Amino acid sequence: MRVFVIIPAAGIGTRMAAGGMSTAAPKQFLEVGGVPILIRSLRTFLSVPRVDAVCVAVRASERERVEAQIAAYKLGARVHMVEGGENRQQSVWNALSALECEDDDVVLVHDAVRPLIDAKTIERTIDAIESHGAAIVGMPAVDTIKQVERTADGAIITATIPRERVVHAQTPQGAHFSLIYRAFAEAEADGFSGTDEASLMERAGIQVAVVPGSARNFKVTQPGDLELAEFYAGGSTWE
Ligand code: C5P
C-alpha cells in the first residue's frame, strides 16, 4: 500500500482580491514567514516518510513559477504536476485520473492554501483511512450553529443545529484509491459539484471517518488571514 497526495493549487484567489488586497499572485503563492504557502504545504507532506508521491494541480500559466519554487526549495523527486481545472473538484479529478494507483493505495487531498497542516495530523488521517476506508480532518464546532434562509432582507434563522453533531471540514481528506475514484467518477457522470472530497464520497454511500483538526489548519482565504498564518507560523522560515 502506497500513499499519494493531491494538492489542488489552481485557484485564482478572487476572495483575497475582492477584500481589497491587490495581489500579483494567487494566495497559494503568497509568502508566510518568507516561504510560499504552497511550498509550506508541500514540504509538510514530503516530511511524512509514508508519503510516496505528491501531485500538484496548477494552472498552465503558473507551471513555470511552481517548477522554479520546487527547484529552489529542493523538493524535486517525489513531486509531479498536472493541469488544474475550472474548479477545485475538476483540479482534483485531473490529478486522480493521472495517478497510477492500486485499488488499496491511499489518496489524500489537501488544499494548497492550508499551509499550517502538521505531520502528526497527516499520519492520523492515513491511519484512519487504513482502518475505516475513508477519512477527513474536521474541527469540532464551538459556536452555536444556525441554519438560515437567505432573503432579500438578509438571513433569517430556520433552525438550530446541535453543535455536538457538527464539525467544520478541513483537509486532508482521503480514502483508498478505489473508493475516492469511484466517488469522483459518479459525481462526474451525474454532473454533481461539491466543495470537498467527503461530499462526493457521502453521496456514493461511502462511510467517512473524522480525525480531529486544529485552528492552525485554517484555509488562507481573505486579507487578514496572512497575518494570522504568520502568527501561527511563529516566524519559522524552514531553512
Ligand atoms: O476555492 P477554495 O478556496 O476552496 O480553494 C481550495 C483549494 O483548491 C486551493 O488550494 C485552490 O488553489 C484550489 N483550487 C484549484 N482549482 C480551482 C480552484 C481552486 O486547484 N479551479
Side-chain angles (χ1 to χ4, degrees):
M1 187 212 78
R2 294 166 304 167
V3 177
F4 293 87
V5 179
I6 293 171
I7 301 192
I12 50 174
T14 47
R15 277 167 295 189
M16 194 69 105
M21 186 181 230
S22 84
T23 57
K27 53 200 173 176
Q28 60 273 23
F29 304 119
L30 302 178
E31 292 184 357
V32 168
V35 180
I37 284 175
L38 168 62
I39 294 294
R40 279 189 176 266
S41 301
L42 197 49
R43 193 153 167 178
T44 305
F45 279 88
L46 292 170
S47 77
V48 175
R50 277 195 283 175
V51 168
D52 290 277
V54 181
C55 181
V56 186
V58 295
R59 291 187 174 257
S61 55
E62 306 285 2
R63 201 181 172 110
E64 263 179 47
R65 184 208 303 252
V66 175
E67 270 169 0
Q69 288 184 351
I70 288 171
Y73 285 87
K74 300 186 173 62
L75 300 180
R78 281 183 291 160
V79 184
H80 308 271
M81 259 182 270
V82 294
E83 191 164 335
E86 277 319 298
N87 54 43
R88 182 186 181 283
Q89 182 174 319
Q90 199 61 50
S91 293
V92 175
W93 179 228
N94 289 357
L96 264 179
S97 308
L99 291 183
E100 286 175 15
C101 285
E102 306 285 333
D103 279 357
D104 73 335
D105 287 340
V106 166
V107 178
L108 295 177
V109 181
H110 183 72
D111 293 325
V113 290
R114 295 183 188 272
L116 294 158
I117 183 64
D118 60 276
K120 279 209 175 83
T121 304
I122 296 169
E123 295 271 12
R124 276 197 290 268
T125 312
I126 298 170
D127 292 342
I129 292 171
E130 283 179 340
S131 41
H132 298 280
I136 73 164
V137 174
M139 264 282 284
V142 287
D143 296 319
T144 302
I145 307 288
K146 303 293 184 188
Q147 186 174 308
V148 297
E149 199 166 292
R150 311 257 176 214
T151 72
D153 290 336
I156 305 290
I157 294 171
T158 53
T160 299
I161 301 170
R163 67 180 164 204
E164 59 279 5
R165 295 182 56 88
V166 173
V167 297
H168 297 271
Q170 298 185 334
T171 67
Q173 303 198 354
H176 287 297
F177 176 71
S178 57
L179 297 178
I180 193 168
Y181 189 88
R182 172 162 70 81
F184 268 75
E186 286 181 14
E188 179 78 5
D190 299 345
F192 175 83
S193 177
T195 50
D196 71 350
E197 286 58 55
S199 58
L200 274 55
M201 294 196 281
E202 291 156 40
R203 71 185 291 280
I206 296 163
Q207 256 195 10
V208 184
V210 180
V211 167
S214 73
R216 288 171 58 96
N217 186 29
F218 74 102
K219 186 159 74 169
V220 175
T221 308
Q222 295 161 8
D225 287 352
L226 275 180
E227 284 80 357
L228 187 59
E230 294 275 355
F231 170 76
Y232 280 129
S236 91
T237 57
W238 286 22
E239 278 314 311

